[in-house]
Amino acid sequence: MTIKKHSVVTMHYTLTNENKQTLDSSVGSDPLTYLHGAQNIIPGLESALEGKKAGDKLNVTVPPEKAYGNYDPKMIQVVPKSEFQDIPNLQVGMQFHVEGNHGPMLLTIKEIKDKEVVLDANHPLAGATLHFEVEITEVRDATDQEIKHQHAHGHHGHDH
Ligand code: ZN
């Protein structure tokens, strides 16, 4: 069975950046299961998996525009430090989830000044070219409920 729209794919993956640092890996723990064609994973990886089958191994290089987008300097914002007075030990690199106009956003503290805090709303991997080493372990058809929910269920998937 080859991967097509509404296949449920189980795979092991290792994600590295251009400096060959490992950013994330499923090897040694549970594999990732996702619903193909539902934008559950980044577009560049999803399109590379199209037509592949269980047992296939592939190396995929994904440019930023097909991963987490290009780095956008306009997504830097400066807010008064007083807005963070409830947070002890404010540090550069701390991350916050906030509700944005287009859904949840992750903000990272980029700089702390005397009276202001510089926040970066770019995805931490924005602008990065990503390398995936993938081994597909299972491909099956999605159930009607999975298609309705637009994500994979069951073993290693969502439990509802
Ligand atoms: Zn569901």
Side-chain angles (χ1 to χ4, degrees), residues 66-88:
K66 288 181 179 172
Y68 294 99
N70 287 303
Y71 191 85
D72 183 0
K74 288 196 289 293
M75 288 173 80
I76 299 283
Q77 22 180 318
V78 180
V79 299
K81 204 174 182 178
S82 57
E83 290 190 19
F84 293 89
Q85 57 192 359
D86 293 341
I87 298 165

Side-chain angles (χ1 to χ4, degrees), residues 43-62:
L45 183 58
E46 188 164 56
S47 60
L49 286 160
E50 181 92 22
K52 299 291 188 291
K53 58 186 189 309
D56 283 355
K57 294 179 182 181
L58 52 157
N59 282 290
V60 187
T61 298
V62 184

Side-chain angles (χ1 to χ4, degrees), residues 145-146 149 151-153 158 160:
Q145 203 190 28
E146 286 172 320
H149 286 194
H151 57 229
H153 284 169
H158 289 251
H160 59 257

Side-chain angles (χ1 to χ4, degrees), residues 91-133:
Q91 282 173 27
V92 170
M94 280 175 100
Q95 295 182 320
F96 303 88
H97 285 277
V98 294
E99 214 42 57
N101 293 334
H102 305 286
M105 279 185 2
L106 183 66
L107 297 176
T108 306
I109 296 187
K110 211 174 160 60
E111 196 183 341
I112 300 171
K113 299 179 179 181
D114 273 355
K115 290 180 175 161
E116 290 169 329
V117 174
V118 182
L119 295 171
D120 189 349
N122 283 288
H123 188 280
L125 291 175
T129 295
L130 304 177
H131 300 278
F132 289 90
E133 203 180 308

Side-chain angles (χ1 to χ4, degrees), residues 32-49:
L32 173 75
T33 297
Y34 80 96
L35 176 63
H36 191 80
Q39 297 172 333
N40 286 180
I41 60 172
I42 59 169
L45 183 58
E46 188 164 56
S47 60
L49 286 160

